[in-house]
């Protein structure tokens, strides 16, 4: 009785372990592959933009590819150089012609763009690649000639994009003040909902100067009157913009602002003083491709018309991949004997024998090597000789009719050489667990059977 209990307990434990191993195997097989960086990714960058001044727009295009069998969630990245400032939409998709997203891209405030592969590559793991396009701004003043190329870090390598020769400063390399009034405008945020502009002008030339600046945005924009910043001073930074100490309190500006029009004025500015006016405008029509902001600058009665234009930028790209081809059955998957059990010389009877009448020698099948049957025997076409008569005689042929010269292969001949190769098998953690579970389940079943059999004996 005690042995029966032990056998029953052992079989129960084996069954529980089998179920647990099966669940673990199935769970393991369902776990997704962990994402990883792809140092072997290839990204080549191109630009045809010409940089002439600070905040010029630099449009970039790229071609990208990743190694075969890269996984969903894997990433690769590129780092913009410090000379470029990302702007425009900060995230975009890379899609194929059918609108399926192959990868996504996200840019951060530091100019690092991270590309992430989607589930598309799981079903299309080969030849994954495509293009991308995005826009940046040149953040430095290229007039000093200190930078002649941009260096992009991509994975473990670098990509160099040359800049047009802006000229090299050889003497008096301090920032050159403007010689006439002007205006520049750029996107103030990556979402392209606000534009910032600057009115700049040369140093005052007379002992006392009155200045009036008027800003009139075009349709699709309106002035943010809370973000108007006037500056007066003499000191400038490396970019040529005014810096501390400023003379704003000595020469305050008078501001008259509405969303449709801005006027800023100064009186009595002495010789050598410079004026800058920063204005932020909000986008009211995001459907426009181009935004314009025009105005006038009047210095001591002399009026100059100024204006700026900024294009809406977009980021995007393409991607694609190739599905794994379906396996084609090999020509050797079906075993084909090297020796076919077919006689080398077909025996064709001149007349079809019938069992109701005795076959005379004139109706005897005549093989290539002639064999004369004895009159007392009724010849029969042997099935293994590939002769198919319409009615098979029942009499057995005489030994003299089965001459080796016909080349008939006996039906019990050994099989031909060349055994078909077994199909290749692949292993996985889940399969190992399932096989182990099946083995434990079999052991439990045997133990349960033995326990039941012992119980019947008692």
């Amino acid at each position: 009785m005690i042995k029966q209990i032990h056998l029953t307990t052992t079989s129960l434990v084996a069954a529980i372990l089998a179920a647990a191993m099966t669940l673990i195997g199935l769970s393991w097989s369902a776990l997704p592959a962990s994402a990883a960086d792809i140092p072997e990714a290839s990204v080549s960058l191109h630009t045809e933009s010409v940089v002439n001044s600070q905040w010029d727009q630099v449009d970039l295009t790229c071609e990208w590819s990743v190694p075969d069998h890269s996984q969903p969630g894997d990433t690769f990245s590129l780092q913009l150089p410090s000379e470029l400032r990302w702007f425009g939409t900060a995230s975009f998709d890379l899609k194929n012609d059918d609108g399926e997203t192959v990868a996504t891209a996200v840019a951060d405030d530091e100019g690092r763009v991270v590309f992430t592969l989607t589930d598309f590559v799981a079903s299309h793991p080969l030849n994954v690649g495509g293009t991308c396009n995005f826009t940046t701004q040149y953040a430095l003043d290229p007039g000093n000639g200190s930078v002649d190329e941009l260096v992009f870090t991509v994975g473990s390598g670098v990509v160099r994009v040359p800049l047009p020769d802006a000229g090299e400063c050889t003497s008096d390399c301090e920032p050159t003040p403007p010689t006439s009034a002007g205006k520049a405008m750029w996107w103030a945020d990556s979402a392209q909902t606000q534009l910032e502009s600057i009115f700049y002008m040369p140093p005052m030339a007379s002992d006392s100067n009155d200045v009036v600046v008027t800003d009139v945005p075009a349709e699709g924009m309106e002035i943010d009157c809370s973000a108007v910043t006037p500056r007066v001073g003499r000191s400038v930074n490396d970019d040529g913009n005014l810096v501390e100490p400023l003379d704003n309190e000595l020469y305050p500006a008078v501001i008259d602002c509405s969303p449709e029009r801005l006027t800023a004025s100064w009186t009595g500015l002495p010789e050598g003083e410079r004026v800058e006016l920063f204005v932020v405008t909000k986008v009211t029509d995001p459907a426009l491709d181009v935004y314009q902001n025009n105005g006038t600058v009047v210095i001591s009665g002399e009026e100059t018309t100024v204006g700026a234009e900024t294009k809406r930028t977009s980021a995007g790209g393409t991607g694609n991949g190739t599905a794994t081809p379906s396996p084609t059955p090999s020509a050797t998957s079906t075993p084909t004997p090297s020796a076919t059990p077919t006689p080398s010389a077909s025996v064709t009877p001149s007349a079809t024998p019938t069992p109701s009448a005795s076959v005379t020698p004139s109706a005897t099948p005549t093989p290539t090597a002639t064999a004369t049957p004895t009159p007392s025997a009724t010849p029969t076409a042997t099935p293994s000789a590939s002769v198919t008569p319409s009615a098979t005689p029942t009499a057995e042929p005489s030994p003299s009719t089965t001459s080796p010269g016909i080349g008939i292969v006996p039906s019990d001949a050994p099989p031909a050489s060349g055994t078909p190769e077994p199909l290749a098998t692949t292993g996985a953690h889940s399969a190992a667990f399932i096989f182990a579970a099946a083995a434990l389940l079999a052991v439990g079943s045997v133990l349960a059977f033995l326990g039941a059999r012992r119980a019947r004996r008692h």
Side-chain angles (χ1 to χ4, degrees), residues 77 94 118 134 143 146 159 161 200 231 235 254 259 265 272 296 320 329 400:
S77 62
L94 312 176
T118 68
F134 53 90
S146 61
V159 177
V161 179
Y200 56 86
R231 289 181 179 178
S235 301
V254 178
S265 59
T296 59
N320 217 329
S400 61

Side-chain angles (χ1 to χ4, degrees), residues 183-189 192-199 215-225 257-262 279-295 307-312:
K183 178 179 173 63
M185 184 169 64
W186 59 92
W187 289 107
D189 63 337
Q192 299 184 9
T193 62
Q194 293 183 346
L195 288 150
E196 187 172 5
S197 59
I198 180 176
F199 289 83
D215 187 19
V216 182
E219 293 183 1
M221 307 165 60
E222 65 180 21
I223 298 173
D224 182 0
C225 293
C257 183
S258 70
E260 295 78 22
R261 185 183 181 89
L262 166 68
V279 182
V280 174
T281 53
K282 297 180 179 180
V283 173
T284 58
D285 185 0
L288 298 180
D289 293 328
V290 179
Y291 296 87
Q292 293 182 337
N293 196 323
N294 302 315
E309 177 183 281
T310 301
K311 297 180 180 179
R312 179 174 290 278

Side-chain angles (χ1 to χ4, degrees), residues 64-80:
W64 64 274
S65 63
V66 296
D68 289 347
H69 302 290
S70 296
Q71 297 298 310
D74 287 355
T75 62
F76 61 97
S77 62
L78 65 86
Q79 176 66 54
L80 296 179

